[in-house]
Amino acid sequence: MVRAVDLIQKKRDGHELTTQEINWLIAAYTDGRVPDYQMSAFAMAVYFKGMTTRETHDLTMAMVNSGEQIDLSAISGIKVDKHSTGGVGDKVTLILVPLVASFGVPVAKMSGRGLGHTGGTLDKLESIKGYRIELSQADFIKQVQKIGLAVIGQSDSLVKADKMLYALRDVTATVDIIPLIASSIMSKKIAAGADRILLDVTVGDGAFMKTLEEAETLSKTMVALGKEMGRRTIAVITDMSQPLGQAIGNRLEVLEALQIMQGQGRKDLTDFICELAQLMLELAGKQKSLADIREHLTNGQALKKLEEMVVCQGGDLADLYRPSAAPVITEIAADKEGYIKELPALAFGLFAMRLGAGRAVKTDKLDYETGIVFEKKVGDSVQKGDLIARVYSNEKLSENMLTEFKKNVKINKEELSVNEILRIIT
Ligand code: URA
């Protein structure tokens, strides 16, 4: 008879588990035969001893098989999914999904919520009055057949083992280990049914992966897992040392997405989204020039797709364009001249969370209206007194909050260049 304690010991002592042992452990954990305390001991053993490529593959498959899998075959064409490993100010999905759909490539996407300093696409979409993130599988597929795109919340019946294991890892200091992250993400992507996958692996202060080397290892692991499972996968490693784009906060990020889709966004984020779209389209078998993609992004075609999706999912179109209702807006000015050297993503993500834009714990209620909009980003030149950012809050900012904000805006004399995409792993 297999016993969890023996498998924990085997991993603790640095040995390789068999496919049958991994299958048994995940099945027994999912149906309650293995309790949380044994699974957390196992996760910690993996944290210290790692997993071989074969074990990571088996773990991923065992997780996929722990729940339902979505069959997207009723939607014609190559379905491409996209996933980000998380960050601050990441509104990419809001723009990229309609943009790719505007080229006739169907996108059936399940997104997540934000936690801690990181944001989640579902929360951003829910800042639009009426938007429904819960659709039955049949309605999800019907919508993609009809208008070419849908973004909904992940169904509870998908990858049950990951739901349980992720919650456990979150409170047992076992999140940041590559085999567990790779199997967690890829099991969800495989179960969600897309044929091809684009992974945005963030790196830097605001991301899980703190160094380029770690991000590269995670990317290679996930790309290999995707390929082994017959789902062609590309990973891009992207910078999360500063917030992405200008806005942090749910409503503010929707507004920034709209600005970009009206050709009025910052060039760096616009270019970044076009590059991601080019990769996603290539995965779907369509070669498009960046100029063509930029044209779709800024001439209203992508925006039309976003509007169709919002309407189809019950959202109020007028509310989509509503400005933030935060009652207090505080302007933060540069206190010296030079170039912005750092805007640490983690610090500003946590700052926005304290304004109500994010959750400290899963049950926290969000304030959709609050957050930060940066007028200057890393590499930009500033004069003393120039506007750096606007902070949207419910109450006047305390002196402590103001000091903290300014302390995190690092300005120095040297010019520096910034890249959003650091590496592409295929
Ligand atoms: N995102 C996930 O879905 N899982 C992880 O383990 C880490 C990030």
Side-chain angles (χ1 to χ4, degrees), residues 83-86 154 162 166 169 174-186 188 208-209 218:
H83 183 87
S84 159
T85 58
Q154 192 185 304
D162 182 62
Y166 194 79
R169 288 166 55 211
T174 49
V175 168
D176 49 344
I177 171 77
I178 284 172
L180 297 186
I181 298 177
S183 54
S184 164
I185 293 176
M186 290 309 286
K188 284 179 288 207
F208 277 120
M209 299 293 108
L218 177 62

PDB file of all heavy atoms in Angstrom, residues 83-86 154 162 166 169 174-186 188 208-209 218, ligand 1:
ATOM      1  N   HIS A  83      -0.753  33.788 -20.995  1.00  0.00           N
ATOM      2  CA  HIS A  83      -0.736  33.795 -19.530  1.00  0.00           C
ATOM      3  C   HIS A  83       0.443  34.612 -19.039  1.00  0.00           C
ATOM      4  O   HIS A  83       1.547  34.501 -19.558  1.00  0.00           O
ATOM      5  CB  HIS A  83      -0.603  32.348 -19.024  1.00  0.00           C
ATOM      6  CG  HIS A  83      -0.654  32.236 -17.538  1.00  0.00           C
ATOM      7  ND1 HIS A  83      -1.849  32.121 -16.849  1.00  0.00           N
ATOM      8  CD2 HIS A  83       0.322  32.246 -16.600  1.00  0.00           C
ATOM      9  CE1 HIS A  83      -1.591  32.048 -15.555  1.00  0.00           C
ATOM     10  NE2 HIS A  83      -0.284  32.119 -15.370  1.00  0.00           N
ATOM     11  N   SER A  84       0.193  35.427 -18.027  1.00  0.00           N
ATOM     12  CA  SER A  84       1.305  36.172 -17.422  1.00  0.00           C
ATOM     13  C   SER A  84       1.562  35.608 -16.030  1.00  0.00           C
ATOM     14  O   SER A  84       0.614  35.226 -15.330  1.00  0.00           O
ATOM     15  CB  SER A  84       0.932  37.646 -17.322  1.00  0.00           C
ATOM     16  OG  SER A  84       1.728  38.265 -16.342  1.00  0.00           O
ATOM     17  N   THR A  85       2.828  35.551 -15.641  1.00  0.00           N
ATOM     18  CA  THR A  85       3.115  35.038 -14.300  1.00  0.00           C
ATOM     19  C   THR A  85       2.881  36.112 -13.246  1.00  0.00           C
ATOM     20  O   THR A  85       3.139  35.899 -12.074  1.00  0.00           O
ATOM     21  CB  THR A  85       4.548  34.465 -14.195  1.00  0.00           C
ATOM     22  OG1 THR A  85       5.468  35.498 -14.540  1.00  0.00           O
ATOM     23  CG2 THR A  85       4.743  33.271 -15.094  1.00  0.00           C
ATOM     24  N   GLY A  86       2.385  37.249 -13.649  1.00  0.00           N
ATOM     25  CA  GLY A  86       1.891  38.213 -12.666  1.00  0.00           C
ATOM     26  C   GLY A  86       2.747  39.448 -12.512  1.00  0.00           C
ATOM     27  O   GLY A  86       3.955  39.414 -12.727  1.00  0.00           O
ATOM     28  N   GLN A 154     -11.771  31.466 -14.008  1.00  0.00           N
ATOM     29  CA  GLN A 154     -11.498  30.033 -14.142  1.00  0.00           C
ATOM     30  C   GLN A 154     -12.563  29.212 -13.418  1.00  0.00           C
ATOM     31  O   GLN A 154     -12.900  29.514 -12.273  1.00  0.00           O
ATOM     32  CB  GLN A 154     -10.123  29.717 -13.568  1.00  0.00           C
ATOM     33  CG  GLN A 154      -9.683  28.317 -13.933  1.00  0.00           C
ATOM     34  CD  GLN A 154      -8.376  27.949 -13.278  1.00  0.00           C
ATOM     35  OE1 GLN A 154      -7.377  28.634 -13.440  1.00  0.00           O
ATOM     36  NE2 GLN A 154      -8.397  26.891 -12.512  1.00  0.00           N
ATOM     37  N   ASP A 162      -4.636  22.070  -8.205  1.00  0.00           N
ATOM     38  CA  ASP A 162      -3.894  23.326  -8.137  1.00  0.00           C
ATOM     39  C   ASP A 162      -4.568  24.308  -7.197  1.00  0.00           C
ATOM     40  O   ASP A 162      -3.898  25.039  -6.469  1.00  0.00           O
ATOM     41  CB  ASP A 162      -3.740  23.959  -9.520  1.00  0.00           C
ATOM     42  CG  ASP A 162      -2.923  25.245  -9.439  1.00  0.00           C
ATOM     43  OD1 ASP A 162      -1.743  25.143  -9.029  1.00  0.00           O
ATOM     44  OD2 ASP A 162      -3.449  26.326  -9.716  1.00  0.00           O
ATOM     45  N   TYR A 166      -2.176  25.418  -4.420  1.00  0.00           N
ATOM     46  CA  TYR A 166      -1.705  26.800  -4.473  1.00  0.00           C
ATOM     47  C   TYR A 166      -2.027  27.522  -3.163  1.00  0.00           C
ATOM     48  O   TYR A 166      -1.199  28.259  -2.619  1.00  0.00           O
ATOM     49  CB  TYR A 166      -2.303  27.536  -5.674  1.00  0.00           C
ATOM     50  CG  TYR A 166      -1.561  28.824  -5.921  1.00  0.00           C
ATOM     51  CD1 TYR A 166      -0.328  28.817  -6.565  1.00  0.00           C
ATOM     52  CD2 TYR A 166      -2.045  30.031  -5.443  1.00  0.00           C
ATOM     53  CE1 TYR A 166       0.384  29.981  -6.745  1.00  0.00           C
ATOM     54  CE2 TYR A 166      -1.333  31.203  -5.624  1.00  0.00           C
ATOM     55  CZ  TYR A 166      -0.125  31.176  -6.277  1.00  0.00           C
ATOM     56  OH  TYR A 166       0.594  32.328  -6.434  1.00  0.00           O
ATOM     57  N   ARG A 169       0.481  26.315  -0.672  1.00  0.00           N
ATOM     58  CA  ARG A 169       1.832  26.849  -0.911  1.00  0.00           C
ATOM     59  C   ARG A 169       1.920  28.304  -0.481  1.00  0.00           C
ATOM     60  O   ARG A 169       2.943  28.752   0.035  1.00  0.00           O
ATOM     61  CB  ARG A 169       2.179  26.718  -2.404  1.00  0.00           C
ATOM     62  CG  ARG A 169       2.445  25.287  -2.825  1.00  0.00           C
ATOM     63  CD  ARG A 169       2.449  25.160  -4.334  1.00  0.00           C
ATOM     64  NE  ARG A 169       3.377  26.073  -4.962  1.00  0.00           N
ATOM     65  CZ  ARG A 169       3.217  26.614  -6.180  1.00  0.00           C
ATOM     66  NH1 ARG A 169       2.159  26.313  -6.911  1.00  0.00           N
ATOM     67  NH2 ARG A 169       4.098  27.439  -6.660  1.00  0.00           N
ATOM     68  N   THR A 174       6.092  27.965   0.042  1.00  0.00           N
ATOM     69  CA  THR A 174       6.538  27.025  -0.994  1.00  0.00           C
ATOM     70  C   THR A 174       6.007  27.428  -2.385  1.00  0.00           C
ATOM     71  O   THR A 174       5.812  26.568  -3.249  1.00  0.00           O
ATOM     72  CB  THR A 174       6.095  25.572  -0.662  1.00  0.00           C
ATOM     73  OG1 THR A 174       4.711  25.572  -0.326  1.00  0.00           O
ATOM     74  CG2 THR A 174       6.895  24.982   0.468  1.00  0.00           C
ATOM     75  N   VAL A 175       5.785  28.736  -2.558  1.00  0.00           N
ATOM     76  CA  VAL A 175       5.335  29.184  -3.890  1.00  0.00           C
ATOM     77  C   VAL A 175       6.516  29.230  -4.860  1.00  0.00           C
ATOM     78  O   VAL A 175       6.445  28.721  -5.977  1.00  0.00           O
ATOM     79  CB  VAL A 175       4.642  30.571  -3.814  1.00  0.00           C
ATOM     80  CG1 VAL A 175       4.456  31.147  -5.216  1.00  0.00           C
ATOM     81  CG2 VAL A 175       3.283  30.455  -3.140  1.00  0.00           C
ATOM     82  N   ASP A 176       7.609  29.823  -4.433  1.00  0.00           N
ATOM     83  CA  ASP A 176       8.674  30.177  -5.376  1.00  0.00           C
ATOM     84  C   ASP A 176       9.669  29.046  -5.657  1.00  0.00           C
ATOM     85  O   ASP A 176      10.851  29.143  -5.334  1.00  0.00           O
ATOM     86  CB  ASP A 176       9.402  31.450  -4.915  1.00  0.00           C
ATOM     87  CG  ASP A 176       9.800  31.390  -3.464  1.00  0.00           C
ATOM     88  OD1 ASP A 176       9.276  30.542  -2.723  1.00  0.00           O
ATOM     89  OD2 ASP A 176      10.661  32.187  -3.047  1.00  0.00           O
ATOM     90  N   ILE A 177       9.156  27.980  -6.232  1.00  0.00           N
ATOM     91  CA  ILE A 177      10.027  26.879  -6.631  1.00  0.00           C
ATOM     92  C   ILE A 177       9.576  26.420  -8.028  1.00  0.00           C
ATOM     93  O   ILE A 177       8.391  26.155  -8.258  1.00  0.00           O
ATOM     94  CB  ILE A 177      10.030  25.733  -5.563  1.00  0.00           C
ATOM     95  CG1 ILE A 177      10.752  24.503  -6.084  1.00  0.00           C
ATOM     96  CG2 ILE A 177       8.637  25.354  -5.100  1.00  0.00           C
ATOM     97  CD1 ILE A 177      12.241  24.639  -6.068  1.00  0.00           C
ATOM     98  N   ILE A 178      10.517  26.366  -8.948  1.00  0.00           N
ATOM     99  CA  ILE A 178      10.182  26.236 -10.371  1.00  0.00           C
ATOM    100  C   ILE A 178       9.294  25.028 -10.726  1.00  0.00           C
ATOM    101  O   ILE A 178       8.293  25.199 -11.419  1.00  0.00           O
ATOM    102  CB  ILE A 178      11.461  26.355 -11.227  1.00  0.00           C
ATOM    103  CG1 ILE A 178      11.824  27.850 -11.248  1.00  0.00           C
ATOM    104  CG2 ILE A 178      11.276  25.812 -12.653  1.00  0.00           C
ATOM    105  CD1 ILE A 178      13.140  28.199 -11.877  1.00  0.00           C
ATOM    106  N   PRO A 179       9.580  23.797 -10.276  1.00  0.00           N
ATOM    107  CA  PRO A 179       8.699  22.687 -10.693  1.00  0.00           C
ATOM    108  C   PRO A 179       7.246  22.900 -10.246  1.00  0.00           C
ATOM    109  O   PRO A 179       6.314  22.535 -10.970  1.00  0.00           O
ATOM    110  CB  PRO A 179       9.278  21.448 -10.000  1.00  0.00           C
ATOM    111  CG  PRO A 179      10.564  21.860  -9.414  1.00  0.00           C
ATOM    112  CD  PRO A 179      10.700  23.337  -9.444  1.00  0.00           C
ATOM    113  N   LEU A 180       7.056  23.522  -9.079  1.00  0.00           N
ATOM    114  CA  LEU A 180       5.683  23.728  -8.605  1.00  0.00           C
ATOM    115  C   LEU A 180       5.005  24.878  -9.356  1.00  0.00           C
ATOM    116  O   LEU A 180       3.813  24.808  -9.670  1.00  0.00           O
ATOM    117  CB  LEU A 180       5.660  23.979  -7.083  1.00  0.00           C
ATOM    118  CG  LEU A 180       6.171  22.823  -6.214  1.00  0.00           C
ATOM    119  CD1 LEU A 180       5.967  23.118  -4.728  1.00  0.00           C
ATOM    120  CD2 LEU A 180       5.481  21.501  -6.565  1.00  0.00           C
ATOM    121  N   ILE A 181       5.749  25.927  -9.674  1.00  0.00           N
ATOM    122  CA  ILE A 181       5.152  27.033 -10.449  1.00  0.00           C
ATOM    123  C   ILE A 181       4.827  26.545 -11.864  1.00  0.00           C
ATOM    124  O   ILE A 181       3.734  26.771 -12.382  1.00  0.00           O
ATOM    125  CB  ILE A 181       6.111  28.253 -10.533  1.00  0.00           C
ATOM    126  CG1 ILE A 181       6.400  28.812  -9.138  1.00  0.00           C
ATOM    127  CG2 ILE A 181       5.510  29.345 -11.411  1.00  0.00           C
ATOM    128  CD1 ILE A 181       7.387  29.977  -9.128  1.00  0.00           C
ATOM    129  N   ALA A 182       5.802  25.866 -12.480  1.00  0.00           N
ATOM    130  CA  ALA A 182       5.610  25.415 -13.865  1.00  0.00           C
ATOM    131  C   ALA A 182       4.420  24.462 -13.968  1.00  0.00           C
ATOM    132  O   ALA A 182       3.581  24.597 -14.869  1.00  0.00           O
ATOM    133  CB  ALA A 182       6.878  24.733 -14.373  1.00  0.00           C
ATOM    134  N   SER A 183       4.304  23.513 -13.036  1.00  0.00           N
ATOM    135  CA  SER A 183       3.190  22.557 -13.125  1.00  0.00           C
ATOM    136  C   SER A 183       1.867  23.253 -12.816  1.00  0.00           C
ATOM    137  O   SER A 183       0.838  22.936 -13.427  1.00  0.00           O
ATOM    138  CB  SER A 183       3.420  21.361 -12.195  1.00  0.00           C
ATOM    139  OG  SER A 183       3.651  21.812 -10.888  1.00  0.00           O
ATOM    140  N   SER A 184       1.892  24.225 -11.903  1.00  0.00           N
ATOM    141  CA  SER A 184       0.667  24.958 -11.562  1.00  0.00           C
ATOM    142  C   SER A 184       0.147  25.724 -12.785  1.00  0.00           C
ATOM    143  O   SER A 184      -1.027  25.631 -13.163  1.00  0.00           O
ATOM    144  CB  SER A 184       0.975  25.914 -10.401  1.00  0.00           C
ATOM    145  OG  SER A 184      -0.013  26.885 -10.259  1.00  0.00           O
ATOM    146  N   ILE A 185       1.037  26.473 -13.423  1.00  0.00           N
ATOM    147  CA  ILE A 185       0.610  27.287 -14.570  1.00  0.00           C
ATOM    148  C   ILE A 185       0.251  26.405 -15.764  1.00  0.00           C
ATOM    149  O   ILE A 185      -0.811  26.556 -16.368  1.00  0.00           O
ATOM    150  CB  ILE A 185       1.721  28.296 -14.956  1.00  0.00           C
ATOM    151  CG1 ILE A 185       1.879  29.331 -13.835  1.00  0.00           C
ATOM    152  CG2 ILE A 185       1.417  28.979 -16.296  1.00  0.00           C
ATOM    153  CD1 ILE A 185       3.008  30.319 -14.041  1.00  0.00           C
ATOM    154  N   MET A 186       1.128  25.470 -16.095  1.00  0.00           N
ATOM    155  CA  MET A 186       0.896  24.691 -17.322  1.00  0.00           C
ATOM    156  C   MET A 186      -0.294  23.734 -17.186  1.00  0.00           C
ATOM    157  O   MET A 186      -0.997  23.487 -18.159  1.00  0.00           O
ATOM    158  CB  MET A 186       2.169  23.942 -17.732  1.00  0.00           C
ATOM    159  CG  MET A 186       3.265  24.854 -18.236  1.00  0.00           C
ATOM    160  SD  MET A 186       2.732  26.018 -19.540  1.00  0.00           S
ATOM    161  CE  MET A 186       2.582  24.935 -20.954  1.00  0.00           C
ATOM    162  N   LYS A 188      -3.031  24.428 -15.697  1.00  0.00           N
ATOM    163  CA  LYS A 188      -4.223  25.253 -15.955  1.00  0.00           C
ATOM    164  C   LYS A 188      -4.345  25.573 -17.449  1.00  0.00           C
ATOM    165  O   LYS A 188      -5.437  25.578 -18.009  1.00  0.00           O
ATOM    166  CB  LYS A 188      -4.149  26.543 -15.134  1.00  0.00           C
ATOM    167  CG  LYS A 188      -4.479  26.288 -13.664  1.00  0.00           C
ATOM    168  CD  LYS A 188      -4.393  27.531 -12.822  1.00  0.00           C
ATOM    169  CE  LYS A 188      -2.986  27.966 -12.599  1.00  0.00           C
ATOM    170  NZ  LYS A 188      -2.713  28.711 -11.398  1.00  0.00           N
ATOM    171  N   PHE A 208       7.449  37.074  -9.395  1.00  0.00           N
ATOM    172  CA  PHE A 208       7.920  35.895  -8.648  1.00  0.00           C
ATOM    173  C   PHE A 208       9.398  35.646  -8.921  1.00  0.00           C
ATOM    174  O   PHE A 208      10.153  35.261  -8.039  1.00  0.00           O
ATOM    175  CB  PHE A 208       7.167  34.644  -9.103  1.00  0.00           C
ATOM    176  CG  PHE A 208       5.839  34.469  -8.455  1.00  0.00           C
ATOM    177  CD1 PHE A 208       4.683  34.417  -9.202  1.00  0.00           C
ATOM    178  CD2 PHE A 208       5.744  34.349  -7.072  1.00  0.00           C
ATOM    179  CE1 PHE A 208       3.449  34.251  -8.608  1.00  0.00           C
ATOM    180  CE2 PHE A 208       4.515  34.189  -6.470  1.00  0.00           C
ATOM    181  CZ  PHE A 208       3.364  34.142  -7.234  1.00  0.00           C
ATOM    182  N   MET A 209       9.778  35.768 -10.183  1.00  0.00           N
ATOM    183  CA  MET A 209      11.163  35.506 -10.565  1.00  0.00           C
ATOM    184  C   MET A 209      11.962  36.799 -10.397  1.00  0.00           C
ATOM    185  O   MET A 209      11.634  37.812 -11.005  1.00  0.00           O
ATOM    186  CB  MET A 209      11.238  35.045 -12.030  1.00  0.00           C
ATOM    187  CG  MET A 209      10.491  33.759 -12.332  1.00  0.00           C
ATOM    188  SD  MET A 209      11.236  32.325 -11.537  1.00  0.00           S
ATOM    189  CE  MET A 209      10.071  31.949 -10.264  1.00  0.00           C
ATOM    190  N   LEU A 218      12.510  28.904 -15.613  1.00  0.00           N
ATOM    191  CA  LEU A 218      11.058  28.676 -15.559  1.00  0.00           C
ATOM    192  C   LEU A 218      10.476  28.640 -16.975  1.00  0.00           C
ATOM    193  O   LEU A 218       9.665  27.768 -17.306  1.00  0.00           O
ATOM    194  CB  LEU A 218      10.378  29.778 -14.724  1.00  0.00           C
ATOM    195  CG  LEU A 218       8.855  29.697 -14.657  1.00  0.00           C
ATOM    196  CD1 LEU A 218       8.392  28.399 -13.986  1.00  0.00           C
ATOM    197  CD2 LEU A 218       8.249  30.892 -13.911  1.00  0.00           C
TER     198      LEU A 218
HETATM  199  N1  URA B   1       0.921  31.559 -10.871  1.00  0.00           N
HETATM  200  C1  URA B   1       0.315  30.352 -10.802  1.00  0.00           C
HETATM  201  O1  URA B   1      -0.746  30.147 -11.376  1.00  0.00           O
HETATM  202  N2  URA B   1       0.913  29.387 -10.077  1.00  0.00           N
HETATM  203  C2  URA B   1       2.079  29.555  -9.431  1.00  0.00           C
HETATM  204  O2  URA B   1       2.553  28.641  -8.807  1.00  0.00           O
HETATM  205  C3  URA B   1       2.693  30.824  -9.499  1.00  0.00           C
HETATM  206  C4  URA B   1       2.102  31.808 -10.252  1.00  0.00           C
END
